[in-house]
Structure formats: C-alpha cells, structure tokens
Amino acid sequence: EYDGTNLYFTDGTATRRTLATTSQGIALSSISAATAANTLANGANAQVWNWDALTFGTGMTLGSSSLTTGNVLSLTGSNNAVGSTGNILKVTSSGTSSAAVPLMLTNAGTGASFRVNDDGTDTDTTPFVIDASGNVGIGTGSPTTSLDIVGQVRALTSANSGQAIYGYQTGGTGTVYGVVGQATSASATNSVGV
C-alpha cells in the first residue's frame, strides 16, 4: 500500500511494515525471501515495472519445481458490476514492425496447453481447449482430431460466391468431404452441396 510517502506491505502476522519511502528506496535485489504469506494492498495506486534496458533474456520469472496442485500465478477480477468491461490480462506487442509473439505457450507435458471454461467454473464439461498434441476442441475437453467440435457449426462467406468451407487433399484417394445423416428436404437451410 502506498500513501504518497511510504510503501507498505502486510506480513504473515498482519503487521503493517514499511518497504520503502520517497526519500529512501530499497532495491528489489536486496529483498530477502518471504518467510510467511504476505499481501500488498495497492489500493488504486497503479504499479508499472519497466525493463527498458533489457535487450534479451527474461525480465521476470515465476516458477515452482514442487507444485502438484494450485497455480504459480492466479489473476482474478471479482467486480460483479454489469458495467465492468476491463481485462484481467492484456498482452500487447505494440511495435508495428516487431515479429515478437505476444503470447507463447510451451507444453512438454500431457495436459491441455490452453483451456477456456465458459461456465464460471474450472470443471466446464464443454470447454474450448488446445490439447498437448495441438488438437483443438470446441465443446469438448478431449479432442480426438485436429478440430473436434461438439455442437453446431456456422460457416458463411461475405459474398454470394466462394466457398464457406473448403477442403483440399494433397495426396491419396480418401474422402475430402464426408456427410453422415439424412436431409428431410432440398431446402437451402439443410441441403449439402459438394
């Protein structure tokens, strides 16, 4: 917490301690390892950390070699107001000529590389996932093909010409388009053209 003069933190015994003042700061490299859980209550005081002199390497690393459950980092926005439209996490590469990757996920394990739960829980049964093999699942947490969709699919073009869905096979004699089912009529809403 910063009151305009001093920067405070609350230690594991709920004691408010001074971390730095406007006249005397403490370098991050001199801070010792925490011996108890702590909370930094910054209030409405935005914090900006810059590594403007860093030309390679990593500015900050958070890691754990013993984590079995839980999270190394958890970001939560708990504002329940209808007008709340802020972002919990925003990743930006603002250089117009930069070839940097704004967000890279590297997965050497077997768990999902990316998962979106849209039911407000961590146990959504119809999530959006990218598994460890690169398969994408929409409406399923266990995709078995490159793109596995459980639910309806809508595909359309911006004009009356061209293909909304296009299939191309570079070799072999297998089926490019396969449709299983029965249309009840030849109307435009349920007809299939290949």
Side-chain angles (χ1 to χ4, degrees):
E1 179 183 356
Y2 180 65
D3 63 4
T5 303
N6 300 313
L7 179 63
Y8 302 95
F9 74 95
T10 303
D11 66 17
T13 63
T15 302
R16 192 182 191 217
R17 301 185 183 279
T18 303
L19 180 64
T21 67
T22 54
S23 60
Q24 182 180 6
I26 298 176
L28 287 176
S29 57
S30 67
I31 297 177
S32 61
T35 57
N38 299 302
T39 298
L40 293 176
N42 292 313
N45 302 296
Q47 308 296 308
V48 177
W49 290 21
N50 288 323
W51 284 265
D52 290 336
L54 185 70
T55 57
F56 63 91
T58 302
M60 176 179 286
T61 299
L62 301 176
S64 172
S65 61
S66 58
L67 185 71
T68 56
T69 61
N71 312 287
V72 174
L73 175 65
S74 178
L75 305 176
T76 302
S78 57
N79 188 349
N80 198 32
V82 175
S84 177
T85 59
N87 304 307
I88 307 303
L89 174 65
K90 181 180 180 183
V91 181
T92 303
S93 178
S94 60
T96 57
S97 299
S98 174
V101 178
L103 179 63
M104 177 179 287
L105 305 175
T106 302
N107 183 4
T110 59
S113 297
F114 187 79
R115 180 180 176 114
V116 176
N117 298 313
D118 59 5
D119 69 348
T121 73
D122 292 338
T123 57
D124 186 4
T125 58
T126 58
F128 169 83
V129 300
I130 303 175
D131 70 12
S133 299
N135 294 332
V136 176
I138 301 176
T140 175
S142 304
T144 58
T145 59
S146 296
L147 178 60
D148 197 339
I149 300 174
V150 176
Q152 294 180 327
V153 177
R154 183 185 184 198
L156 60 120
T157 61
S158 58
N160 292 327
S161 61
Q163 299 86 14
I165 298 178
Y166 180 77
Y168 182 75
Q169 186 168 265
T170 58
T173 57
T175 302
V176 176
Y177 293 96
V179 178
V180 178
Q182 180 179 358
T184 57
S185 68
S187 66
T189 57
N190 59 14
S191 61
V192 177
V194 178

PDB file of all heavy atoms in Angstrom, residues 84-122:
ATOM      1  N   SER A  84     -18.787  -3.598 -15.797  1.00  0.00           N
ATOM      2  CA  SER A  84     -17.372  -3.949 -15.728  1.00  0.00           C
ATOM      3  C   SER A  84     -16.929  -4.553 -17.057  1.00  0.00           C
ATOM      4  O   SER A  84     -17.365  -5.638 -17.439  1.00  0.00           O
ATOM      5  CB  SER A  84     -17.133  -4.957 -14.592  1.00  0.00           C
ATOM      6  OG  SER A  84     -15.779  -5.356 -14.559  1.00  0.00           O
ATOM      7  N   THR A  85     -16.080  -3.842 -17.789  1.00  0.00           N
ATOM      8  CA  THR A  85     -15.618  -4.307 -19.101  1.00  0.00           C
ATOM      9  C   THR A  85     -14.096  -4.369 -19.191  1.00  0.00           C
ATOM     10  O   THR A  85     -13.542  -4.489 -20.276  1.00  0.00           O
ATOM     11  CB  THR A  85     -16.144  -3.383 -20.220  1.00  0.00           C
ATOM     12  OG1 THR A  85     -15.673  -2.036 -19.969  1.00  0.00           O
ATOM     13  CG2 THR A  85     -17.659  -3.384 -20.266  1.00  0.00           C
ATOM     14  N   GLY A  86     -13.430  -4.284 -18.066  1.00  0.00           N
ATOM     15  CA  GLY A  86     -11.971  -4.315 -18.067  1.00  0.00           C
ATOM     16  C   GLY A  86     -11.426  -5.702 -18.350  1.00  0.00           C
ATOM     17  O   GLY A  86     -12.146  -6.702 -18.329  1.00  0.00           O
ATOM     18  N   ASN A  87     -10.147  -5.770 -18.627  1.00  0.00           N
ATOM     19  CA  ASN A  87      -9.452  -7.025 -18.914  1.00  0.00           C
ATOM     20  C   ASN A  87      -8.702  -7.497 -17.675  1.00  0.00           C
ATOM     21  O   ASN A  87      -8.093  -6.693 -16.970  1.00  0.00           O
ATOM     22  CB  ASN A  87      -8.453  -6.846 -20.064  1.00  0.00           C
ATOM     23  CG  ASN A  87      -9.113  -6.297 -21.313  1.00  0.00           C
ATOM     24  OD1 ASN A  87     -10.098  -6.842 -21.786  1.00  0.00           O
ATOM     25  ND2 ASN A  87      -8.587  -5.209 -21.841  1.00  0.00           N
ATOM     26  N   ILE A  88      -8.726  -8.787 -17.431  1.00  0.00           N
ATOM     27  CA  ILE A  88      -7.938  -9.357 -16.346  1.00  0.00           C
ATOM     28  C   ILE A  88      -6.477  -9.465 -16.769  1.00  0.00           C
ATOM     29  O   ILE A  88      -5.558  -9.241 -15.995  1.00  0.00           O
ATOM     30  CB  ILE A  88      -8.471 -10.745 -15.936  1.00  0.00           C
ATOM     31  CG1 ILE A  88      -9.967 -10.667 -15.623  1.00  0.00           C
ATOM     32  CG2 ILE A  88      -7.704 -11.287 -14.738  1.00  0.00           C
ATOM     33  CD1 ILE A  88     -10.316  -9.679 -14.547  1.00  0.00           C
ATOM     34  N   LEU A  89      -6.270  -9.804 -18.020  1.00  0.00           N
ATOM     35  CA  LEU A  89      -4.915  -9.902 -18.551  1.00  0.00           C
ATOM     36  C   LEU A  89      -4.914  -9.396 -19.977  1.00  0.00           C
ATOM     37  O   LEU A  89      -5.718  -9.829 -20.796  1.00  0.00           O
ATOM     38  CB  LEU A  89      -4.420 -11.359 -18.522  1.00  0.00           C
ATOM     39  CG  LEU A  89      -3.059 -11.633 -19.184  1.00  0.00           C
ATOM     40  CD1 LEU A  89      -1.944 -10.917 -18.421  1.00  0.00           C
ATOM     41  CD2 LEU A  89      -2.784 -13.128 -19.265  1.00  0.00           C
ATOM     42  N   LYS A  90      -4.022  -8.472 -20.270  1.00  0.00           N
ATOM     43  CA  LYS A  90      -3.868  -7.950 -21.631  1.00  0.00           C
ATOM     44  C   LYS A  90      -2.407  -8.091 -22.032  1.00  0.00           C
ATOM     45  O   LYS A  90      -1.515  -7.652 -21.320  1.00  0.00           O
ATOM     46  CB  LYS A  90      -4.296  -6.491 -21.717  1.00  0.00           C
ATOM     47  CG  LYS A  90      -4.184  -5.915 -23.127  1.00  0.00           C
ATOM     48  CD  LYS A  90      -4.609  -4.464 -23.172  1.00  0.00           C
ATOM     49  CE  LYS A  90      -4.478  -3.911 -24.591  1.00  0.00           C
ATOM     50  NZ  LYS A  90      -4.830  -2.470 -24.655  1.00  0.00           N
ATOM     51  N   VAL A  91      -2.170  -8.731 -23.162  1.00  0.00           N
ATOM     52  CA  VAL A  91      -0.819  -8.940 -23.665  1.00  0.00           C
ATOM     53  C   VAL A  91      -0.710  -8.210 -25.000  1.00  0.00           C
ATOM     54  O   VAL A  91      -1.490  -8.471 -25.916  1.00  0.00           O
ATOM     55  CB  VAL A  91      -0.514 -10.444 -23.860  1.00  0.00           C
ATOM     56  CG1 VAL A  91       0.904 -10.637 -24.367  1.00  0.00           C
ATOM     57  CG2 VAL A  91      -0.723 -11.193 -22.546  1.00  0.00           C
ATOM     58  N   THR A  92       0.239  -7.286 -25.113  1.00  0.00           N
ATOM     59  CA  THR A  92       0.331  -6.443 -26.299  1.00  0.00           C
ATOM     60  C   THR A  92       1.748  -6.417 -26.845  1.00  0.00           C
ATOM     61  O   THR A  92       2.711  -6.266 -26.095  1.00  0.00           O
ATOM     62  CB  THR A  92      -0.093  -4.999 -25.975  1.00  0.00           C
ATOM     63  OG1 THR A  92      -1.415  -5.000 -25.439  1.00  0.00           O
ATOM     64  CG2 THR A  92      -0.048  -4.117 -27.217  1.00  0.00           C
ATOM     65  N   SER A  93       1.871  -6.579 -28.146  1.00  0.00           N
ATOM     66  CA  SER A  93       3.115  -6.291 -28.852  1.00  0.00           C
ATOM     67  C   SER A  93       2.834  -5.058 -29.698  1.00  0.00           C
ATOM     68  O   SER A  93       2.153  -5.146 -30.724  1.00  0.00           O
ATOM     69  CB  SER A  93       3.520  -7.481 -29.734  1.00  0.00           C
ATOM     70  OG  SER A  93       4.699  -7.178 -30.458  1.00  0.00           O
ATOM     71  N   SER A  94       3.293  -3.902 -29.263  1.00  0.00           N
ATOM     72  CA  SER A  94       2.878  -2.636 -29.871  1.00  0.00           C
ATOM     73  C   SER A  94       3.796  -2.153 -30.986  1.00  0.00           C
ATOM     74  O   SER A  94       3.477  -1.170 -31.652  1.00  0.00           O
ATOM     75  CB  SER A  94       2.780  -1.554 -28.786  1.00  0.00           C
ATOM     76  OG  SER A  94       4.032  -1.374 -28.146  1.00  0.00           O
ATOM     77  N   GLY A  95       4.921  -2.811 -31.211  1.00  0.00           N
ATOM     78  CA  GLY A  95       5.814  -2.406 -32.298  1.00  0.00           C
ATOM     79  C   GLY A  95       5.262  -2.862 -33.635  1.00  0.00           C
ATOM     80  O   GLY A  95       5.073  -4.056 -33.861  1.00  0.00           O
ATOM     81  N   THR A  96       4.984  -1.925 -34.538  1.00  0.00           N
ATOM     82  CA  THR A  96       4.342  -2.279 -35.809  1.00  0.00           C
ATOM     83  C   THR A  96       5.230  -3.135 -36.703  1.00  0.00           C
ATOM     84  O   THR A  96       4.726  -3.835 -37.587  1.00  0.00           O
ATOM     85  CB  THR A  96       3.932  -1.012 -36.574  1.00  0.00           C
ATOM     86  OG1 THR A  96       5.091  -0.183 -36.772  1.00  0.00           O
ATOM     87  CG2 THR A  96       2.881  -0.222 -35.779  1.00  0.00           C
ATOM     88  N   SER A  97       6.529  -3.100 -36.510  1.00  0.00           N
ATOM     89  CA  SER A  97       7.437  -3.924 -37.314  1.00  0.00           C
ATOM     90  C   SER A  97       7.971  -5.120 -36.535  1.00  0.00           C
ATOM     91  O   SER A  97       8.794  -5.876 -37.040  1.00  0.00           O
ATOM     92  CB  SER A  97       8.612  -3.075 -37.812  1.00  0.00           C
ATOM     93  OG  SER A  97       8.170  -2.021 -38.637  1.00  0.00           O
ATOM     94  N   SER A  98       7.508  -5.272 -35.311  1.00  0.00           N
ATOM     95  CA  SER A  98       8.000  -6.354 -34.458  1.00  0.00           C
ATOM     96  C   SER A  98       7.467  -7.700 -34.916  1.00  0.00           C
ATOM     97  O   SER A  98       6.303  -7.835 -35.283  1.00  0.00           O
ATOM     98  CB  SER A  98       7.586  -6.107 -33.005  1.00  0.00           C
ATOM     99  OG  SER A  98       7.927  -7.214 -32.192  1.00  0.00           O
ATOM    100  N   ALA A  99       8.337  -8.695 -34.893  1.00  0.00           N
ATOM    101  CA  ALA A  99       7.923 -10.078 -35.192  1.00  0.00           C
ATOM    102  C   ALA A  99       7.764 -10.888 -33.910  1.00  0.00           C
ATOM    103  O   ALA A  99       7.703 -12.112 -33.946  1.00  0.00           O
ATOM    104  CB  ALA A  99       8.953 -10.737 -36.103  1.00  0.00           C
ATOM    105  N   ALA A 100       7.674 -10.204 -32.775  1.00  0.00           N
ATOM    106  CA  ALA A 100       7.545 -10.877 -31.481  1.00  0.00           C
ATOM    107  C   ALA A 100       6.210 -11.601 -31.375  1.00  0.00           C
ATOM    108  O   ALA A 100       5.212 -11.184 -31.960  1.00  0.00           O
ATOM    109  CB  ALA A 100       7.675  -9.865 -30.340  1.00  0.00           C
ATOM    110  N   VAL A 101       6.186 -12.682 -30.644  1.00  0.00           N
ATOM    111  CA  VAL A 101       4.968 -13.435 -30.373  1.00  0.00           C
ATOM    112  C   VAL A 101       4.392 -12.913 -29.051  1.00  0.00           C
ATOM    113  O   VAL A 101       5.025 -13.058 -28.006  1.00  0.00           O
ATOM    114  CB  VAL A 101       5.256 -14.945 -30.269  1.00  0.00           C
ATOM    115  CG1 VAL A 101       3.988 -15.720 -29.948  1.00  0.00           C
ATOM    116  CG2 VAL A 101       5.888 -15.450 -31.557  1.00  0.00           C
ATOM    117  N   PRO A 102       3.209 -12.283 -29.074  1.00  0.00           N
ATOM    118  CA  PRO A 102       2.672 -11.710 -27.839  1.00  0.00           C
ATOM    119  C   PRO A 102       2.444 -12.729 -26.721  1.00  0.00           C
ATOM    120  O   PRO A 102       2.642 -12.430 -25.560  1.00  0.00           O
ATOM    121  CB  PRO A 102       1.339 -11.081 -28.287  1.00  0.00           C
ATOM    122  CG  PRO A 102       1.514 -10.834 -29.739  1.00  0.00           C
ATOM    123  CD  PRO A 102       2.374 -11.964 -30.238  1.00  0.00           C
ATOM    124  N   LEU A 103       2.029 -13.930 -27.082  1.00  0.00           N
ATOM    125  CA  LEU A 103       1.773 -14.948 -26.062  1.00  0.00           C
ATOM    126  C   LEU A 103       2.230 -16.299 -26.582  1.00  0.00           C
ATOM    127  O   LEU A 103       1.729 -16.776 -27.594  1.00  0.00           O
ATOM    128  CB  LEU A 103       0.279 -15.014 -25.719  1.00  0.00           C
ATOM    129  CG  LEU A 103      -0.141 -16.056 -24.676  1.00  0.00           C
ATOM    130  CD1 LEU A 103       0.495 -15.746 -23.330  1.00  0.00           C
ATOM    131  CD2 LEU A 103      -1.657 -16.119 -24.554  1.00  0.00           C
ATOM    132  N   MET A 104       3.193 -16.902 -25.921  1.00  0.00           N
ATOM    133  CA  MET A 104       3.694 -18.223 -26.315  1.00  0.00           C
ATOM    134  C   MET A 104       3.476 -19.208 -25.181  1.00  0.00           C
ATOM    135  O   MET A 104       3.837 -18.927 -24.031  1.00  0.00           O
ATOM    136  CB  MET A 104       5.181 -18.169 -26.680  1.00  0.00           C
ATOM    137  CG  MET A 104       5.756 -19.547 -27.030  1.00  0.00           C
ATOM    138  SD  MET A 104       7.505 -19.514 -27.496  1.00  0.00           S
ATOM    139  CE  MET A 104       7.400 -18.773 -29.116  1.00  0.00           C
ATOM    140  N   LEU A 105       2.862 -20.335 -25.496  1.00  0.00           N
ATOM    141  CA  LEU A 105       2.646 -21.398 -24.531  1.00  0.00           C
ATOM    142  C   LEU A 105       3.472 -22.602 -24.943  1.00  0.00           C
ATOM    143  O   LEU A 105       3.339 -23.092 -26.065  1.00  0.00           O
ATOM    144  CB  LEU A 105       1.166 -21.785 -24.479  1.00  0.00           C
ATOM    145  CG  LEU A 105       0.178 -20.653 -24.197  1.00  0.00           C
ATOM    146  CD1 LEU A 105      -1.254 -21.155 -24.305  1.00  0.00           C
ATOM    147  CD2 LEU A 105       0.426 -20.056 -22.828  1.00  0.00           C
ATOM    148  N   THR A 106       4.346 -23.068 -24.070  1.00  0.00           N
ATOM    149  CA  THR A 106       5.182 -24.231 -24.348  1.00  0.00           C
ATOM    150  C   THR A 106       4.795 -25.341 -23.388  1.00  0.00           C
ATOM    151  O   THR A 106       4.824 -25.162 -22.170  1.00  0.00           O
ATOM    152  CB  THR A 106       6.671 -23.890 -24.187  1.00  0.00           C
ATOM    153  OG1 THR A 106       7.001 -22.816 -25.076  1.00  0.00           O
ATOM    154  CG2 THR A 106       7.541 -25.101 -24.515  1.00  0.00           C
ATOM    155  N   ASN A 107       4.406 -26.478 -23.943  1.00  0.00           N
ATOM    156  CA  ASN A 107       3.910 -27.571 -23.120  1.00  0.00           C
ATOM    157  C   ASN A 107       4.700 -28.838 -23.418  1.00  0.00           C
ATOM    158  O   ASN A 107       4.602 -29.398 -24.508  1.00  0.00           O
ATOM    159  CB  ASN A 107       2.422 -27.801 -23.403  1.00  0.00           C
ATOM    160  CG  ASN A 107       1.812 -28.875 -22.518  1.00  0.00           C
ATOM    161  OD1 ASN A 107       2.466 -29.414 -21.635  1.00  0.00           O
ATOM    162  ND2 ASN A 107       0.552 -29.192 -22.761  1.00  0.00           N
ATOM    163  N   ALA A 108       5.486 -29.302 -22.451  1.00  0.00           N
ATOM    164  CA  ALA A 108       6.226 -30.550 -22.601  1.00  0.00           C
ATOM    165  C   ALA A 108       5.513 -31.714 -21.912  1.00  0.00           C
ATOM    166  O   ALA A 108       5.992 -32.840 -21.959  1.00  0.00           O
ATOM    167  CB  ALA A 108       7.640 -30.403 -22.021  1.00  0.00           C
ATOM    168  N   GLY A 109       4.361 -31.419 -21.305  1.00  0.00           N
ATOM    169  CA  GLY A 109       3.628 -32.452 -20.578  1.00  0.00           C
ATOM    170  C   GLY A 109       2.491 -33.029 -21.398  1.00  0.00           C
ATOM    171  O   GLY A 109       2.466 -32.930 -22.625  1.00  0.00           O
ATOM    172  N   THR A 110       1.525 -33.611 -20.713  1.00  0.00           N
ATOM    173  CA  THR A 110       0.391 -34.257 -21.368  1.00  0.00           C
ATOM    174  C   THR A 110      -0.924 -33.530 -21.126  1.00  0.00           C
ATOM    175  O   THR A 110      -1.938 -33.878 -21.725  1.00  0.00           O
ATOM    176  CB  THR A 110       0.247 -35.709 -20.888  1.00  0.00           C
ATOM    177  OG1 THR A 110       0.050 -35.715 -19.454  1.00  0.00           O
ATOM    178  CG2 THR A 110       1.486 -36.521 -21.214  1.00  0.00           C
ATOM    179  N   GLY A 111      -0.922 -32.533 -20.272  1.00  0.00           N
ATOM    180  CA  GLY A 111      -2.139 -31.776 -20.014  1.00  0.00           C
ATOM    181  C   GLY A 111      -2.435 -30.809 -21.145  1.00  0.00           C
ATOM    182  O   GLY A 111      -1.613 -30.589 -22.038  1.00  0.00           O
ATOM    183  N   ALA A 112      -3.629 -30.220 -21.121  1.00  0.00           N
ATOM    184  CA  ALA A 112      -4.016 -29.265 -22.160  1.00  0.00           C
ATOM    185  C   ALA A 112      -3.078 -28.069 -22.166  1.00  0.00           C
ATOM    186  O   ALA A 112      -2.656 -27.583 -21.118  1.00  0.00           O
ATOM    187  CB  ALA A 112      -5.458 -28.808 -21.939  1.00  0.00           C
ATOM    188  N   SER A 113      -2.746 -27.595 -23.370  1.00  0.00           N
ATOM    189  CA  SER A 113      -1.894 -26.410 -23.485  1.00  0.00           C
ATOM    190  C   SER A 113      -2.678 -25.133 -23.244  1.00  0.00           C
ATOM    191  O   SER A 113      -2.123 -24.127 -22.807  1.00  0.00           O
ATOM    192  CB  SER A 113      -1.257 -26.363 -24.879  1.00  0.00           C
ATOM    193  OG  SER A 113      -0.420 -27.471 -25.088  1.00  0.00           O
ATOM    194  N   PHE A 114      -3.981 -25.170 -23.536  1.00  0.00           N
ATOM    195  CA  PHE A 114      -4.823 -23.979 -23.394  1.00  0.00           C
ATOM    196  C   PHE A 114      -6.250 -24.437 -23.133  1.00  0.00           C
ATOM    197  O   PHE A 114      -6.713 -25.393 -23.742  1.00  0.00           O
ATOM    198  CB  PHE A 114      -4.766 -23.137 -24.675  1.00  0.00           C
ATOM    199  CG  PHE A 114      -5.462 -21.814 -24.571  1.00  0.00           C
ATOM    200  CD1 PHE A 114      -4.860 -20.750 -23.934  1.00  0.00           C
ATOM    201  CD2 PHE A 114      -6.718 -21.642 -25.125  1.00  0.00           C
ATOM    202  CE1 PHE A 114      -5.505 -19.516 -23.849  1.00  0.00           C
ATOM    203  CE2 PHE A 114      -7.378 -20.419 -25.042  1.00  0.00           C
ATOM    204  CZ  PHE A 114      -6.761 -19.352 -24.400  1.00  0.00           C
ATOM    205  N   ARG A 115      -6.935 -23.758 -22.227  1.00  0.00           N
ATOM    206  CA  ARG A 115      -8.313 -24.149 -21.896  1.00  0.00           C
ATOM    207  C   ARG A 115      -9.117 -22.918 -21.523  1.00  0.00           C
ATOM    208  O   ARG A 115      -8.648 -22.065 -20.767  1.00  0.00           O
ATOM    209  CB  ARG A 115      -8.326 -25.156 -20.742  1.00  0.00           C
ATOM    210  CG  ARG A 115      -9.732 -25.605 -20.332  1.00  0.00           C
ATOM    211  CD  ARG A 115      -9.717 -26.593 -19.189  1.00  0.00           C
ATOM    212  NE  ARG A 115     -11.079 -26.925 -18.776  1.00  0.00           N
ATOM    213  CZ  ARG A 115     -11.633 -28.117 -18.893  1.00  0.00           C
ATOM    214  NH1 ARG A 115     -10.926 -29.124 -19.401  1.00  0.00           N
ATOM    215  NH2 ARG A 115     -12.868 -28.336 -18.497  1.00  0.00           N
ATOM    216  N   VAL A 116     -10.328 -22.836 -22.056  1.00  0.00           N
ATOM    217  CA  VAL A 116     -11.259 -21.766 -21.713  1.00  0.00           C
ATOM    218  C   VAL A 116     -12.521 -22.404 -21.152  1.00  0.00           C
ATOM    219  O   VAL A 116     -13.194 -23.173 -21.844  1.00  0.00           O
ATOM    220  CB  VAL A 116     -11.623 -20.907 -22.944  1.00  0.00           C
ATOM    221  CG1 VAL A 116     -12.665 -19.860 -22.572  1.00  0.00           C
ATOM    222  CG2 VAL A 116     -10.376 -20.233 -23.512  1.00  0.00           C
ATOM    223  N   ASN A 117     -12.828 -22.110 -19.884  1.00  0.00           N
ATOM    224  CA  ASN A 117     -14.073 -22.562 -19.258  1.00  0.00           C
ATOM    225  C   ASN A 117     -15.066 -21.403 -19.309  1.00  0.00           C
ATOM    226  O   ASN A 117     -14.790 -20.335 -18.757  1.00  0.00           O
ATOM    227  CB  ASN A 117     -13.827 -22.966 -17.803  1.00  0.00           C
ATOM    228  CG  ASN A 117     -12.866 -24.127 -17.684  1.00  0.00           C
ATOM    229  OD1 ASN A 117     -12.998 -25.124 -18.380  1.00  0.00           O
ATOM    230  ND2 ASN A 117     -11.884 -23.998 -16.809  1.00  0.00           N
ATOM    231  N   ASP A 118     -16.209 -21.604 -19.946  1.00  0.00           N
ATOM    232  CA  ASP A 118     -17.166 -20.510 -20.084  1.00  0.00           C
ATOM    233  C   ASP A 118     -18.397 -20.677 -19.198  1.00  0.00           C
ATOM    234  O   ASP A 118     -19.395 -19.983 -19.386  1.00  0.00           O
ATOM    235  CB  ASP A 118     -17.592 -20.339 -21.543  1.00  0.00           C
ATOM    236  CG  ASP A 118     -18.227 -21.601 -22.126  1.00  0.00           C
ATOM    237  OD1 ASP A 118     -18.411 -22.569 -21.374  1.00  0.00           O
ATOM    238  OD2 ASP A 118     -18.521 -21.601 -23.334  1.00  0.00           O
ATOM    239  N   ASP A 119     -18.324 -21.570 -18.225  1.00  0.00           N
ATOM    240  CA  ASP A 119     -19.460 -21.754 -17.324  1.00  0.00           C
ATOM    241  C   ASP A 119     -19.194 -21.187 -15.936  1.00  0.00           C
ATOM    242  O   ASP A 119     -19.983 -21.378 -15.013  1.00  0.00           O
ATOM    243  CB  ASP A 119     -19.830 -23.238 -17.222  1.00  0.00           C
ATOM    244  CG  ASP A 119     -18.775 -24.064 -16.500  1.00  0.00           C
ATOM    245  OD1 ASP A 119     -17.662 -23.539 -16.291  1.00  0.00           O
ATOM    246  OD2 ASP A 119     -19.058 -25.224 -16.156  1.00  0.00           O
ATOM    247  N   GLY A 120     -18.087 -20.476 -15.770  1.00  0.00           N
ATOM    248  CA  GLY A 120     -17.776 -19.865 -14.484  1.00  0.00           C
ATOM    249  C   GLY A 120     -17.115 -20.789 -13.486  1.00  0.00           C
ATOM    250  O   GLY A 120     -16.907 -20.409 -12.335  1.00  0.00           O
ATOM    251  N   THR A 121     -16.752 -22.010 -13.914  1.00  0.00           N
ATOM    252  CA  THR A 121     -16.092 -22.950 -13.017  1.00  0.00           C
ATOM    253  C   THR A 121     -14.826 -23.478 -13.684  1.00  0.00           C
ATOM    254  O   THR A 121     -14.562 -23.202 -14.857  1.00  0.00           O
ATOM    255  CB  THR A 121     -17.004 -24.151 -12.684  1.00  0.00           C
ATOM    256  OG1 THR A 121     -17.101 -25.011 -13.844  1.00  0.00           O
ATOM    257  CG2 THR A 121     -18.393 -23.682 -12.287  1.00  0.00           C
ATOM    258  N   ASP A 122     -14.050 -24.238 -12.947  1.00  0.00           N
ATOM    259  CA  ASP A 122     -12.860 -24.886 -13.501  1.00  0.00           C
ATOM    260  C   ASP A 122     -13.157 -26.302 -13.982  1.00  0.00           C
ATOM    261  O   ASP A 122     -12.243 -27.035 -14.345  1.00  0.00           O
ATOM    262  CB  ASP A 122     -11.745 -24.935 -12.448  1.00  0.00           C
ATOM    263  CG  ASP A 122     -11.209 -23.545 -12.133  1.00  0.00           C
ATOM    264  OD1 ASP A 122     -11.365 -22.635 -12.965  1.00  0.00           O
ATOM    265  OD2 ASP A 122     -10.644 -23.365 -11.035  1.00  0.00           O
TER     266      ASP A 122
END
